[in-house]
Amino acid sequence: MSTATEQHRTRAGERADRDTHFEVEQFYYEEAALLDDGRYTDWLELLADDLDYWMPTRTNRLRRQQALSVAARGEAAFYDESKESLAWRIRRFDSGMAWAEDPPSRTRHLVTNVMVRHADPAEHDGFTENDLWVRSAFLVYRNRLEREENVFAGGRTDILRRTADGGLRIARRTILLDQNILQAKNISTFF
C-alpha cells in the first residue's frame, strides 16, 4: 500500500484493536461498580456534558411488523435524559424525597458481549473515528425491601467520546430492554 493511500485510510466502522477493547471493558466494569456501590455522583463524571441517554419502550409485534416494535424518538420512553436531568434525579435521591429509593435498592450490573468499533462520522454526526461505537449486553439484578426482586436484561448501544486527556466519556446511550412489560414497581435504576 502506498504512503498516500495509508494517509487517507480511515478507521471508521472498523473493529477496535485489542488494547482499546480491553480499555472499554474496564471502563464498563468501573461504571458497573459505581452504580452498584450507589456512587451516582461519581458515575456522572463518566458522562459527557452533551449526553443523550435514551431507553425507548417496546411492544410485541408480528414478524412482519418488527420495525414498529421499538418506539421512535418522540414516542414513549422509559428514559429520555440528558446529563443535567440525570443529575437532578441523583440529587433527588439524596434529598429524602425519592421514596421509591428509601431504603435504597441493591443492584448488581453485569456487562458482557462487548463489541467495539471506531465511530463512523457519516453515520454519527458530531463524532470522529477516534470516538467509539460500542454494543453490549447487560443483566441488572435489583433487590429492594424484603421481597422486591427485579431482573432487567437487554442491550446497550453507546458512543464513547475520547477526551483530550485520552479518557472516555459516554456521549450517547441507547438502552433496549428485552422485556416489554416491566414487573418492577418503579424504574429508578440506571443502566
Side-chain angles (χ1 to χ4, degrees), residues 59-120:
T59 57
N60 290 332
R61 299 284 184 147
L62 298 173
R63 285 188 189 277
R64 66 179 178 268
Q65 297 176 320
Q66 283 303 295
L68 302 173
S69 68
V70 176
R73 284 290 183 162
E75 296 180 351
F78 294 114
Y79 286 107
D80 191 356
E81 307 286 341
S82 64
K83 183 175 181 177
E84 184 178 319
S85 65
L86 289 173
W88 179 86
R89 284 178 182 266
I90 290 166
R91 284 191 302 273
R92 189 168 173 267
F93 284 168
D94 295 333
S95 73
M97 299 302 292
W99 299 312
E101 279 300 313
D102 197 12
S105 298
R106 288 177 296 277
T107 61
R108 184 66 54 209
H109 289 71
L110 306 176
V111 180
T112 186
N113 297 17
V114 177
M115 298 186 314
V116 184
R117 295 190 175 278
H118 291 277
D120 186 343

Side-chain angles (χ1 to χ4, degrees), residues 134-183:
V134 184
R135 184 175 173 179
S136 63
F138 66 84
L139 188 69
V140 177
Y141 169 81
R142 175 178 175 236
N143 178 278
R144 186 169 177 278
L145 302 173
E146 293 174 2
R147 294 187 181 96
E148 240 178 87
E149 285 186 315
N150 304 109
V151 176
F152 303 97
R156 303 184 306 195
T157 304
D158 293 344
I159 298 182
L160 303 181
R161 180 177 291 132
R162 183 71 66 185
T163 62
D165 65 358
L168 296 171
R169 295 290 176 268
I170 302 165
R172 302 286 177 272
R173 174 164 285 172
T174 300
I175 306 150
L176 191 57
L177 291 174
D178 290 336
Q179 56 263 59
N180 68 319
I181 296 177
L182 299 183
Q183 302 297 318

Side-chain angles (χ1 to χ4, degrees), residues 1-20:
M1 192 181 319
S2 73
T3 306
T5 306
E6 287 176 8
Q7 289 175 348
H8 290 87
R9 185 173 178 266
T10 179
R11 296 182 303 171
E14 284 186 7
R15 186 177 300 157
D17 63 40
R18 193 175 18 207
D19 292 339
T20 303

